[in-house]
Amino acid sequence: VTIVAQVVSVAQTVLPTHVIEVAKMETGTVAMADVFEIMGINKVEVEEKKKIIYTYDDLNVTEDEFWWLTYLVFTEHNLGSDLSQECVVYTVLNRLANGNYGRNMVEVITAPSQFSGYNLYSWGNYTERNRQNVFNALVKWNNGDIPSEYYGILYFNNPNEVGEGYVRRYNLVPIVVEDGHTYYGKGE
């Protein structure tokens, strides 16, 4: 089983903007097959070059774990920015690496009083953007392409829902503030 991720759109990468605009003016839409034909480009060859194919093993997750993360991102922060959604994934990965939050990803996600999202009626829903952000987070994590401090994120909250008393009591240190959520690590 593979996950195929378009890193960038073929049209945006291969075709000059003016060609796309001309195609839109002539047809009202961009029929990519027509644009490729006009440009004399072999569509299949170009599309294959622009795809990066990853297996779940390449991402160091099982297929189930990938979807648990995707559903969690939807229920915890569906409307958040790409970075904020990626930080939800980093929280789970850091907890798993820490070893004190569960022996596997599902245990980490379903631990009592931790992530409430998996318990919601909307569990099982996701958007393509959620799926892509989980994928991006896993690739960045595995490639070491995230700021080093992100490897310390263990908690996040919406300050409107969780007060400063909680932060002080558990000695949490802010690492990232994004979209009204604060992502924390443990203080010394």
Side-chain angles (χ1 to χ4, degrees), residues 5-161:
Q6 284 290 106
V7 176
V8 285
S9 138
V10 173
Q12 292 171 340
T13 304
V14 176
L15 302 175
T17 304
H18 70 277
V19 173
I20 295 171
E21 292 307 314
V22 168
K24 281 183 186 175
M25 285 190 297
E26 290 178 7
T27 64
T29 62
V30 176
M32 290 310 298
D34 296 336
V35 175
F36 281 118
E37 187 176 317
I38 292 167
M39 295 293 293
I41 297 171
N42 180 330
K43 179 181 179 217
V44 174
E45 180 182 316
V46 170
E47 287 179 347
E48 288 306 311
K49 287 180 183 174
K50 294 300 172 189
K51 288 181 184 175
I52 297 177
I53 300 173
Y54 288 84
T55 66
Y56 291 106
D57 286 342
D58 294 333
L59 299 173
N60 293 315
V61 295
T62 67
E63 184 175 1
D64 284 345
E65 289 171 335
F66 181 86
W67 289 106
W68 273 85
L69 285 169
T70 303
Y71 301 151
L72 182 69
V73 165
F74 178 86
T75 58
E76 291 286 349
H77 209 26
N78 181 42
L79 300 178
S81 69
D82 294 347
L83 173 60
S84 195
Q85 290 188 13
E86 290 176 11
C87 284
V88 170
V89 175
Y90 301 145
T91 302
V92 173
L93 295 173
N94 284 322
R95 287 179 174 198
L96 184 60
N98 177 286
N100 293 325
Y101 299 88
R103 295 170 300 195
N104 60 55
M105 213 171 288
V106 175
E107 284 184 11
V108 169
I109 291 170
T110 60
S113 303
Q114 298 302 310
F115 301 102
S116 59
Y118 84 92
N119 239 348
L120 298 176
Y121 67 90
S122 57
W123 187 255
N125 292 329
Y126 71 96
T127 66
E128 178 56 26
R129 186 170 153 263
N130 302 142
R131 189 202 65 76
Q132 187 64 50
N133 285 332
V134 169
F135 172 84
N136 292 344
L138 290 168
V139 169
K140 290 175 186 177
W141 175 275
N142 288 310
N143 291 338
D145 291 339
I146 64 173
S148 60
E149 62 270 18
Y150 288 16
Y151 290 103
I153 297 172
L154 291 170
Y155 303 92
F156 65 90
N157 72 17
N158 178 335
N160 297 327
E161 297 172 12

